Amino acid sequence: MNIKELCSRYAAGQRDFSNLNLIAANLRNMNFAGINLSGANLTKANLTRTNLSQANLTGAILTGANLTETNLTRANLRDANLSDTILASEKLSQARPREVTMAEKTSPATSSNHLNNASLP
């Protein structure tokens, strides 16, 4: 599925895009609130300023993704792989980061501090 089709289906009300392959996809400035991307491969995807509030990212692969200013409010990040991500966001409130995989190379002043302070269910 290409990005145009993803956006079209999302706009039509579809929310389940589990196991989708979005390697290196440019999803910058998109609104995907409530989307189900569980098991999706978002390796090196550009998610800068994307709204992923209430998204299901369970088991998603976000290795090397750019999550700068991404809205992850109340997103489910259980078992997600955030290794080598750029995660600079103030919108991580109530994110559910249990079992998140993160490498030490994650960009400075970012992910670990925010995720460690996130509310856990």
Side-chain angles (χ1 to χ4, degrees), residues 6-39:
L6 168 67
C7 293
S8 176
R9 288 185 182 191
Y10 181 88
Q14 184 176 342
R15 295 297 180 263
D16 188 359
F17 298 95
S18 54
N19 300 309
L20 194 59
N21 184 354
L22 293 167
I23 294 173
N26 184 3
L27 302 172
R28 183 182 181 112
N29 296 315
M30 301 281 187
N31 179 14
F32 291 126
I35 196 168
N36 178 4
L37 289 171
S38 59

Side-chain angles (χ1 to χ4, degrees), residues 31-35 50-56 70-75:
N31 179 14
F32 291 126
I35 196 168
T50 299
N51 182 3
L52 292 173
S53 61
Q54 299 181 11
N56 182 355
T70 301
N71 183 348
L72 293 167
T73 303
R74 297 181 63 198

Side-chain angles (χ1 to χ4, degrees), residues 8 57 63 82 101 110:
S8 176
L57 297 167
T63 304
L82 297 173
T101 301
T110 58

Side-chain angles (χ1 to χ4, degrees), residues 61-77:
I61 302 167
L62 294 150
T63 304
N66 186 344
L67 299 170
T68 302
E69 297 181 36
T70 301
N71 183 348
L72 293 167
T73 303
R74 297 181 63 198
N76 186 345
L77 297 166

